[in-house]
């Protein structure tokens, strides 16, 4: 009988020791899988040195959350077994029973710590795959802290990672979608929350001016909204394309509530100075816009100096090669209208500074692109034949910002494409710094001229150039 109890005791001790050995192996596997999150090269070590456990785990995905889940299940199962054995033990085995209870307590503590670790690794929105692969922050802030920064629920819903419903990569090679907002949105929290405070499925507020303010100050791109945009109350049919190019549009087709002028005639008259000061005559299609880039304009009647180049002369530099391009300016689309006469498609990028420039461009039958200087151009590399700019990038712009802009333009221009700098003006004392930035592109100079700006007492100058992007085979 004593021998039987001794064997039973030894057998149970062997079980406890064996279980502790298995637990140590699981702890090692947990450590390796956690380190593998940060050091992928450890994967090879775990596969070569843990061959005894490979069959048990080869069906698991190599993610900490999956392995932790399996460990927790095994710990719970073993704790229940130990409790069952302690209940069925005899009184003369009291010492062994106490050891088993201590072992169960130890396992419970390990289970608690493992669960805490799993909760720490778990994404805040319940999708294990999205937590480590998609993050809106590159710093040490937890993902949920960034979301909690905004109080409006629509913002929080928008910036959350959207995992694919099928649980696998989509045709673009992504497991989910990370919708983006401009970094300056965090410094304009009040304005952004006002912009995103709406009822889903209802009509949006007429707050395009607030949206443009956010964009201009760096909250660009703006988050999408789930409400219907406000439209003019009585939208009239646009004029036919052969009429709309050089005719003022119908006033009914614009929302005028955020403008000082309430119709196109007011803007075209320019008697009150309302609108954008750099483009006060842009809506005068007959007298101001019609001759642009067709006839030269001389600031000084007594001089033949002009910063204007004619479209026909520029197209003659590359006969038949200019087909598509971008006009990054503030205007009503006249450059695109003139290029259209040569069967060239130009997209006009501008914002609505004091007047409905985007609406005007569209109503003329041209393509507007609502874009600030803060954004990277939405074109692929080496695709455009020409980029033209006027009345926008002038002496106000920071040298480093201009550098970033020009390199982005270089990115989208194809080899042999033309960069047309049209009447860039700045202070005389700043001219050398700006010319160095343009020189740094190492483009071929087809045209390059500096003329005085006579309305500023000789303190400012105009600079115009037509530059060709070189081929870069290496």
């Amino acid at each position: 009988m004593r021998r039987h109890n001794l064997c039973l005791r030894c057998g149970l001790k062997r079980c406890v020791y064996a279980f502790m050995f298995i637990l140590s192996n699981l702890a090692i596997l947990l450590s390796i899988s956690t380190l593998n999150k940060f050091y992928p090269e450890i994967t090879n070590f775990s596969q070569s040195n843990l061959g005894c456990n490979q069959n048990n785990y080869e069906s698991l995905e190599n993610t900490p959350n999956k392995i932790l889940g399996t460990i927790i299940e095994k710990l719970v199962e073993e704790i229940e077994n130990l409790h069952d054995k302690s209940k069925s033990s005899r009184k003369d085995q009291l010492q062994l029973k106490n050891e088993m209870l201590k072992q169960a307590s130890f396992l419970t503590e390990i289970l608690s710590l493992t669960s805490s670790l799993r909760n720490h690794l778990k994404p805040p929105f319940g999708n294990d795959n999205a937590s480590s692969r998609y993050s809106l922050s590159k710093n040490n802030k937890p993902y949920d802290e960034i979301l909690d920064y905004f109080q409006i629920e629509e913002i929080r819903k928008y910036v959350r990672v959207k995992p694919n419903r099928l649980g696998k990569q989509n045709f673009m090679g992504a497991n989910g979608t990370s919708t983006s907002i401009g970094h300056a949105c965090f410094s304009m929290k009040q304005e952004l929350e006002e912009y995103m405070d709406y009822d889903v499925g209802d009509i949006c507020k007429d707050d395009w001016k607030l949206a443009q303010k956010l964009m201009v100050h760096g909250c660009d791109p703006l988050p999408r909204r789930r409400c219907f945009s406000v439209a003019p109350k009585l939208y009239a049919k646009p004029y036919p394309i052969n009429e709309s190019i050089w005719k003022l549009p119908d006033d009914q087709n614009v929302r005028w509530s955020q403008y000082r002028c309430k119709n196109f005639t007011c803007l075209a008259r320019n008697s009150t100075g309302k609108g954008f000061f750099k483009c006060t005559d842009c809506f005068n299609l007959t007298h101001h816009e019609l001759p642009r880039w067709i006839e030269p304009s001389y600031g000084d009647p007594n001089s033949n100096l002009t910063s204007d180049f004619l479209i026909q002369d520029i197209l003659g530099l590359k006969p038949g090669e200019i087909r598509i391009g971008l006009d990054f300016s503030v205007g009503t689309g006249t450059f695109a209208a003139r290029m259209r006469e040569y069967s060239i498609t130009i997209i006009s990028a501008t914002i609505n500074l004091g007047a409905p420039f985007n609406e005007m461009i569209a109503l003329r039958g041209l393509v507007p692109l609502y874009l600030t200087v803060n954004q990277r151009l939405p074109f692929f590399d080496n695709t455009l034949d020409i980029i033209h700019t006027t009345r926008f990038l002038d002496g106000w712009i920071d040298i480093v910002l201009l550098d970033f802009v020009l390199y982005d333009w270089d990115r989208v221009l194809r080899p042999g494409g033309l960069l047309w700098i049209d009447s860039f003006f700045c202070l005389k004392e700043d001219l050398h710094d700006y010319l160095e930035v343009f020189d740094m592109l190492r483009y071929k100079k087809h045209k390059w001229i500096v003329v005085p700006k006579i309305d500023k007492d000789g303190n400012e100058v105009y600079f115009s150039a037509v530059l060709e992007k070189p081929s870069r085979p290496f």
Side-chain angles (χ1 to χ4, degrees):
M1 182 67 179
R2 183 178 297 175
R3 177 179 294 179
H4 176 74
N5 291 338
L6 181 63
C7 292
L8 179 61
R9 183 177 300 179
C10 292
L12 288 174
K13 282 186 177 181
R14 286 196 189 100
C15 291
V16 173
Y17 294 151
F19 175 72
M20 292 179 67
F21 177 75
I22 295 173
L23 181 63
S24 64
N25 284 338
L26 290 175
I28 293 172
L29 181 61
L30 171 62
S31 302
I32 292 174
S33 63
T34 304
L35 287 173
N36 185 54
K37 181 179 181 181
F38 305 99
Y39 302 99
E41 60 270 15
I42 295 182
T43 304
N44 295 331
F45 172 81
S46 63
Q47 290 178 350
S48 59
N49 292 277
L50 298 177
C52 58
N53 293 329
Q54 184 174 3
N55 294 332
N56 295 331
Y57 297 103
E58 62 184 3
S59 62
L60 296 176
E61 295 181 17
N62 192 15
T63 61
N65 286 321
K66 290 285 188 180
I67 297 174
L68 281 173
T70 304
I71 292 174
I72 290 173
E73 290 177 3
K74 290 185 175 295
L75 286 174
V76 171
E77 180 182 354
E78 191 61 29
I79 289 171
E80 292 176 352
N81 291 337
L82 285 174
H83 278 294
D84 291 340
K85 288 181 180 179
S86 65
K87 291 177 182 178
S88 61
S89 299
R90 298 181 181 180
K91 292 182 180 180
D92 56 357
Q93 297 176 342
L94 182 61
Q95 184 179 357
L96 182 59
K97 179 180 179 181
N98 291 334
E99 290 181 6
M100 295 174 66
L101 290 175
K102 288 180 182 179
Q103 184 69 21
S105 177
F106 168 73
L107 291 175
T108 303
E109 184 180 359
I110 295 295
L111 175 61
S112 176
L113 293 173
T114 307
S115 299
S116 299
L117 178 60
R118 186 184 189 188
N119 290 335
H120 179 73
L121 293 175
K122 189 177 181 180
F125 304 107
N127 186 283
D128 293 344
N129 293 329
S131 60
S132 60
R133 301 179 190 177
Y134 306 102
S135 175
L136 295 181
S137 175
K138 299 271 183 177
N139 57 24
N140 294 325
K141 278 190 174 183
Y143 180 63
D144 53 353
E145 280 188 24
I146 297 176
L147 293 180
D148 290 340
Y149 181 77
F150 296 107
Q151 302 303 315
I152 300 299
E153 185 62 24
E154 277 297 282
I155 305 178
R156 296 153 65 97
K157 288 181 179 178
Y158 181 78
V159 298
R160 283 178 181 140
V161 176
K162 315 298 188 302
N164 300 332
R165 294 193 64 178
L166 297 179
K168 59 182 181 180
Q169 288 187 350
N170 58 24
F171 68 96
M172 295 178 289
N175 294 311
T177 302
S178 299
T179 46
S180 59
I181 59 175
H183 67 89
C185 295
F186 292 91
S187 63
M188 303 182 72
K189 176 182 177 182
Q190 182 178 350
E191 291 86 351
L192 182 62
E193 289 184 340
E194 179 184 349
Y195 175 73
M196 293 296 288
D197 188 10
Y198 59 86
D199 294 325
V200 176
D202 206 344
I203 302 296
C204 301
K205 294 173 287 188
D206 189 7
D207 56 358
W208 71 264
K209 202 168 185 179
L210 172 62
Q212 183 168 280
K213 176 185 176 182
L214 286 162
M215 292 170 62
V216 168
H217 287 85
C219 186
D220 189 14
L222 278 173
R224 297 184 179 101
R225 296 200 293 189
R226 297 189 292 175
C227 57
F228 297 105
S229 62
V230 181
K233 293 182 179 179
L234 300 171
Y235 196 90
K237 183 191 300 185
Y239 298 132
I241 190 65
N242 58 339
E243 296 181 29
S244 62
I245 292 290
W246 300 108
K247 183 177 180 179
L248 285 177
D250 194 317
D251 295 331
Q252 295 184 105
N253 294 347
V254 174
R255 294 177 295 161
W256 296 97
S257 60
Q258 303 290 335
Y259 301 111
R260 295 178 64 189
C261 269
K262 303 303 180 183
N263 53 64
F264 285 112
T265 304
C266 170
L267 290 170
R269 266 199 233 105
N270 192 31
S271 57
T272 60
K274 298 174 181 177
F276 182 50
F277 69 96
K278 283 189 178 182
C279 200
T280 52
D281 293 316
C282 286
F283 292 86
N284 187 341
L285 298 183
T286 53
H287 294 88
H288 181 266
E289 295 292 287
L290 193 62
R292 293 187 72 190
W293 299 290
I294 300 299
E295 302 173 6
S297 174
Y298 299 97
D300 184 0
N302 300 320
S303 171
N304 289 329
L305 290 176
T306 178
S307 60
D308 292 346
F309 301 141
L310 306 184
I311 286 179
Q312 188 173 2
D313 295 338
I314 304 305
L315 296 181
L317 300 173
K318 293 280 185 177
E321 294 186 28
I322 307 301
R323 307 153 300 151
I324 57 173
L326 173 70
D327 180 25
F328 202 109
S329 308
V330 175
T332 53
T334 298
F335 181 79
R338 281 301 182 196
M339 295 291 271
R340 189 175 182 277
E341 297 172 358
Y342 294 87
S343 300
I344 297 171
T345 301
I346 297 293
I347 294 176
S348 302
T350 189
I351 55 177
N352 287 8
L353 290 175
F357 291 104
N358 276 270
E359 296 96 316
M360 178 71 172
I361 293 169
L363 290 169
R364 293 181 74 180
L366 306 167
V367 182
L369 181 62
Y370 192 50
L371 189 72
T372 69
V373 73
N374 305 325
Q375 266 195 312
R376 184 176 187 258
L377 289 179
F379 304 108
F380 194 68
D381 304 357
N382 305 300
T383 52
L384 301 184
D385 299 320
I386 188 170
I387 294 179
H388 170 265
T389 182
T390 187
R391 291 174 173 168
F392 194 75
L393 299 183
D394 296 321
W396 64 269
I397 193 170
D398 175 74
I399 294 293
V400 176
L401 175 58
L402 178 61
D403 211 24
F404 275 106
V405 170
L406 291 179
Y407 273 102
D408 191 37
W409 290 0
D410 172 83
R411 177 184 63 82
V412 301
L413 268 179
R414 65 167 176 81
L418 298 180
L419 175 59
W420 183 348
I421 309 298
D422 192 350
S423 299
F424 179 101
F425 70 85
C426 63
L427 295 173
K428 270 186 177 180
E429 60 193 52
D430 295 332
L431 178 63
H432 177 72
D433 294 335
Y434 283 118
L435 293 186
E436 276 194 343
V437 177
F438 289 106
D439 258 335
M440 190 173 53
L441 292 172
R442 298 184 181 89
Y443 279 18
K444 178 180 178 180
K445 298 177 182 177
H446 287 287
K447 293 181 180 291
W448 184 282
I449 190 170
V450 177
V451 300
K453 194 171 185 287
I454 62 172
D455 61 342
K456 294 295 182 180
D457 301 323
N459 293 325
E460 293 183 349
V461 294
Y462 279 121
F463 162 67
S464 293
V466 177
L467 312 173
E468 179 180 338
K469 178 179 175 177
S471 298
R472 301 187 185 112
F474 305 106

